[in-house]
Amino acid sequence: MQQRLREQSLLLAKGFCMGAADVVPGVSGGTMALILRIYPQLIDAIKSFDRAWLRAVLRLDIKQALSRPHLAFLLPLFVGIFSALLFFTRVLSLPNLLKTHPELIYGLFFGLIVGSVIILLRELKRLRASDLGLLLLGAAMGIFVFNLVPVETPETAWFIFISGALAICAMMLPGISGAFILLILNKYAYIFNAIGYLQFGILLPFGLGCLAGLVLFSRLLSCLLHHYYRRTMLLITGILIASLQLIWPFQERVYAGAGSSEKLISTSPVFPPGPNATLLGALAMMALGLLAVLAIHHYAQRPKALE
């Protein structure tokens, strides 16, 4: 019983970390799952909601409907994710901190991603010429997405549904964040305000879109991870490397609007200023993020209770 409680608490904490990452534009919950070493398990668990499960639900076969999906893994994880979304929008607003202290917040996530890239490359071991090609392809894909600019979009239910589907696909893919996709679609503040104040008229189509994206994209990712693991991880690593330009703490950020309605419309990396408190703080947060990843990786090498 105590071991079971420990496992659930650990998954809750990992979900909280994933939710916190998804609030930050440019950082992916999938990246955090990769850092926490639950990424393949997460994709397979999402995929477990299959036709057999749906047939059990339609037959009102409650026992099979509850036993078939990996609920013991998913429930505490998603409770942690939702708790983080509420906490970092209502209690401690990360979107506001990104405006007031962007160098510190992005510095932390920059260190996290650098650490995960180092670990991934080390685990892939010797890189061949074909591997370098896949790394470059992943980086090119990331650069293309990251250089898209926000566009004017409607606030109708059908578009909120599409936004949810695209955002959740990005969340599952390490290196491209759901929050960044919402920024491109000009729906970042709109959706996170709805989450913070539980506006169900917006959250319902968004949630249904997320569900559709989960069902379809998880199957594609699961197939790639099971049959083309090395190639898939090389592409993901390339996307992560490309994302560093977006996460670099020192950016020239352009906002549109005024006051609380300001929205980030473009960003481009710049050289840091001369030695000052901001630079030292950003470097300290980078080091903290890097050390955190290495510590998590070291801990994950022990025999895992969840396996």
Side-chain angles (χ1 to χ4, degrees):
M1 182 65 181
Q2 187 176 5
Q3 177 68 19
R4 181 72 171 175
L5 183 62
R6 178 181 174 276
E7 293 172 3
Q8 298 298 300
S9 300
L10 186 59
L11 283 172
L12 187 68
K14 290 180 178 182
F16 192 87
C17 292
M18 289 175 61
D22 269 309
V23 177
V24 180
V27 183
S28 167
T31 302
M32 191 59 65
L34 199 66
I35 292 169
L36 296 169
R37 304 186 68 78
I38 57 171
Y39 186 68
Q41 189 179 1
L42 172 63
I43 299 302
D44 285 342
I46 295 171
K47 185 191 171 187
S48 68
F49 290 91
D50 53 14
R51 292 179 183 176
W53 174 80
L54 183 58
R55 284 195 295 269
V57 171
L58 294 176
R59 292 197 310 268
L60 299 180
D61 186 347
I62 304 301
K63 183 178 180 180
Q64 185 176 358
L66 292 178
S67 62
R68 184 170 183 81
H70 304 166
L71 293 180
F73 174 81
L74 288 173
L75 281 179
L77 198 69
F78 280 110
V79 168
I81 290 172
F82 189 69
S83 299
L85 291 176
L86 285 179
F87 181 82
F88 288 113
T89 53
R90 293 293 297 274
V91 181
L92 181 64
S93 176
L94 269 183
N96 287 338
L97 284 176
L98 286 170
K99 288 184 180 181
T100 57
H101 300 87
E103 294 84 4
L104 298 182
I105 303 300
Y106 278 113
L108 174 64
F109 284 100
F110 188 90
L112 289 172
I113 293 176
V114 168
S116 61
V117 168
I118 291 172
I119 290 170
L120 283 172
L121 289 176
R122 188 169 64 186
E123 290 185 345
L124 290 170
K125 298 179 181 178
R126 180 178 297 180
L127 293 178
R128 302 182 292 267
S130 59
D131 293 338
L132 293 176
L134 287 169
L135 276 175
L136 291 174
L137 178 59
M141 291 166 56
I143 290 171
F144 171 77
V145 173
F146 301 144
N147 282 284
L148 294 175
V149 296
V151 294
E152 290 300 320
T153 55
E155 295 179 352
T156 53
W158 69 267
F159 192 81
I160 299 303
F161 177 91
I162 291 174
S163 299
L166 293 175
I168 203 68
C169 290
M171 175 185 171
M172 286 191 288
L173 187 63
I176 302 177
S177 83
F180 182 71
I181 295 300
L182 291 177
L183 268 180
I184 293 171
L185 298 174
N186 213 6
K187 289 292 173 284
Y188 176 73
Y190 186 74
I191 295 300
F192 277 98
N193 183 68
I195 293 172
Y197 293 94
L198 299 178
Q199 297 173 342
F200 292 103
I202 298 170
L203 293 179
L204 181 59
F206 183 76
L208 290 174
C210 289
L211 181 61
L214 280 172
V215 170
L216 297 175
F217 197 57
S218 64
R219 278 153 177 73
L220 173 62
L221 281 177
S222 179
C223 178
L224 291 174
L225 286 169
H226 283 289
H227 298 287
Y228 307 99
Y229 180 81
R230 183 179 179 85
R231 295 176 184 177
T232 302
M233 296 309 295
L234 283 164
L235 283 172
I236 287 174
T237 304
I239 294 172
L240 284 177
I241 292 171
S243 74
L244 291 174
Q245 63 152 332
L246 193 69
I247 309 301
W248 176 244
F250 301 97
Q251 304 270 347
E252 184 177 329
R253 298 177 176 89
V254 178
Y255 293 88
S260 60
S261 63
E262 281 189 339
K263 297 177 182 177
L264 181 69
I265 60 172
S266 69
T267 179
S268 56
V270 297
F271 285 107
N276 56 30
T278 300
L279 175 60
L280 293 176
L283 292 175
M285 294 301 282
M286 286 183 198
L288 178 62
L290 177 60
L291 290 173
V293 171
L294 296 177
I296 291 169
H297 178 71
H298 176 74
Y299 176 80
Q301 299 309 301
R302 301 178 182 179
K304 294 187 276 292
L306 293 177
E307 294 184 345

